[in-house]
Amino acid sequence: MKAIFLVKNGAASGAFEIREVAIPKPGVGQVLLKVEASGLNFADVMARRGMYKEAPPLPCILGYDVAGEVTETGAGVSHLKPGERVTALTRFGGYAEYAVTEASATVHVPENIDNATATTLCTQYCTAYYAGTHLVNLNEGDNVLIHSGAGGVGLALIQLAKYKKCTIFSTAGTEEKLAYIKNMGVHHPINYSIQDFELETKTITNGNGLDVIFDAVGGLSVKKGFRSLGPGGRIVCYGASDMSNKNIFSKVAAAVNFGIYHPVMFMVASKSMLGINMLKIADNKPALIQRCLKAVIKLTEEGVFSPMPAKIYPANEIVSAHECLEKRKSIGKIALKW
């Protein structure tokens, strides 16, 4: 089979090689999938840049989500059969024509969703569902700020917050993206390139602050977000895109900008800060991942979640796909087609 190996950290150009390797075999509780589409996530960019400590040593195969067909099941797998069309979380190894993953991280795909778009359901929508229902419980009328609203997780969170009848604030960096998220249901789009979200949200809420913030940016955004919360407010951090594509000094500055926090600060202000690493959840709580995946599929079938079509690149255009994601040129998911 063909697989895309990350062979060098740094810029996308020169970082990847397509190699021929043996098709893997599923172990106990695992399935082998013939991959039709491999999803890209910002964590892939961080891993390529050498900033994702859990990435395997080079050379390695990246990829956290795929969609395709079950070709073989390992011992102990009963809810999936060969020939079934599925989407799945992969613990790396997703940039390949075949991938092995845990059956608990694999679910059936509705017929009306194409394979490339289906990759969104596993990582982006599962993250959004976990964040918006397990970590925090969104309530009608909550003031909710969603950073990077035009990204995959951002769009999923907008749809969830709209379903929960929240007042939605969201940031994006271009007029095209702002118009798109407004059309998705965002009440207060904020252009982060020219507007300060802390000042904007304070003005719009008459100083009452936000109830929930979902932050994929990191750095100073978190510090300002914490200040933007009202009493009882929660900030959920699930990324650090602000630390990508920077030199060592800028990375240190971005890390410092997160701020220093003490439990007393949370108690006195009655504010909370929570973090998400879905790989940790998948590794240690497979039953929870299965519940989230099933809930995401159900909400998709009910029309609550409506993933936009993915931007598709042929697998041999991996460099262009990575550059598009890193430069934030896309709206929604980017996927590779095999």
Side-chain angles (χ1 to χ4, degrees):
M1 71 170 189
K2 290 183 173 63
I4 301 170
F5 279 80
L6 175 67
V7 297
K8 180 182 177 182
N9 290 129
S13 178
F16 298 103
E17 287 182 6
I18 297 179
R19 299 178 178 179
E20 286 283 347
V21 294
I23 296 175
K25 297 288 291 183
V28 176
Q30 295 182 325
V31 293
L32 174 66
L33 308 178
K34 185 179 187 302
V35 178
E36 300 293 339
S38 304
L40 269 66
N41 300 283
F42 210 85
D44 299 7
V45 173
M46 302 293 279
R48 170 171 56 77
R49 287 283 177 182
M51 299 172 62
Y52 200 90
K53 67 177 183 178
E54 294 188 16
L58 301 182
C60 66
I61 304 172
L62 300 179
Y64 301 97
D65 47 47
V66 299
E69 182 180 298
V70 177
T71 60
E72 188 178 346
T73 60
V77 177
S78 58
H79 72 287
L80 297 167
K81 305 295 181 185
E84 190 168 356
R85 186 165 165 266
V86 297
T87 185
L89 288 166
T90 50
R91 190 65 155 92
F92 304 104
Y95 289 8
E97 290 182 306
Y98 288 85
V100 165
T101 191
E102 301 299 319
S104 60
T106 307
V107 291
H108 179 78
V109 175
E111 290 302 320
N112 63 329
I113 298 179
D114 66 86
N115 284 318
T117 304
T119 62
T120 305
L121 299 178
C122 270
T123 303
Q124 278 73 28
Y125 278 82
C126 198
T127 299
Y129 181 82
Y130 177 76
T133 64
H134 285 261
L135 288 190
V136 300
N137 186 23
L138 297 178
N139 295 295
E140 182 174 351
D142 278 352
N143 288 319
V144 177
L145 171 62
I146 300 165
H147 284 295
S148 306
V153 179
L155 291 173
L157 286 166
I158 288 170
Q159 292 171 7
L160 182 62
K162 182 179 178 180
Y163 173 63
K164 295 283 191 173
K165 300 180 180 180
C166 301
T167 299
I168 309 171
F169 301 73
S170 187
T171 62
T174 68
E175 291 304 317
E176 177 190 9
K177 291 181 177 181
L178 290 164
Y180 188 86
I181 62 175
K182 184 174 183 179
N183 187 58
M184 289 286 293
V186 171
H187 302 96
H188 304 289
I190 299 170
N191 188 336
Y192 66 74
S193 64
I194 59 175
Q195 294 174 290
D196 185 321
F197 77 83
E198 184 179 3
L199 296 177
E200 293 293 324
T201 56
K202 182 177 181 179
T203 299
I204 295 170
T205 64
N206 295 317
N208 293 318
L210 299 164
D211 297 296
V212 181
I213 298 174
F214 296 103
D215 191 296
V217 180
L220 185 59
S221 175
V222 173
K223 185 187 292 185
K224 294 175 66 171
F226 189 77
R227 292 198 301 255
S228 301
L229 294 173
R234 297 88 80 200
I235 182 168
V236 179
C237 303
Y238 63 93
S241 62
D242 188 51
M243 296 185 71
S244 69
N245 202 21
K246 290 185 174 182
N247 60 38
I248 185 63
F249 301 105
S250 297
K251 289 173 184 175
V252 170
V256 171
N257 280 337
F258 269 95
I260 299 173
Y261 303 90
H262 188 278
V264 172
M265 297 170 61
F266 300 120
M267 291 186 291
V268 171
S270 191
K271 299 179 181 181
S272 304
M273 186 177 294
L274 305 106
I276 299 177
N277 181 337
M278 292 305 287
L279 287 180
K280 288 292 186 183
I281 301 299
D283 286 346
N284 296 283
K285 295 185 178 294
L288 175 55
I289 284 292
Q290 182 68 197
R291 289 201 301 273
C292 287
L293 287 171
K294 287 181 177 179
V296 164
I297 294 297
K298 183 174 184 292
L299 289 173
T300 302
E301 291 174 331
E302 293 173 353
V304 175
F305 285 150
S306 181
M308 68 174 296
K311 183 176 178 62
I312 302 172
Y313 287 84
N316 61 1
E317 294 183 14
I318 179 65
V319 171
S320 296
H322 258 248
E323 288 177 343
C324 179
L325 178 60
E326 185 171 20
K327 294 176 182 177
R328 298 173 174 84
K329 293 182 177 180
S330 63
I331 295 177
K333 185 76 167 181
I334 296 176
L336 303 175
K337 183 176 177 61
W338 293 92

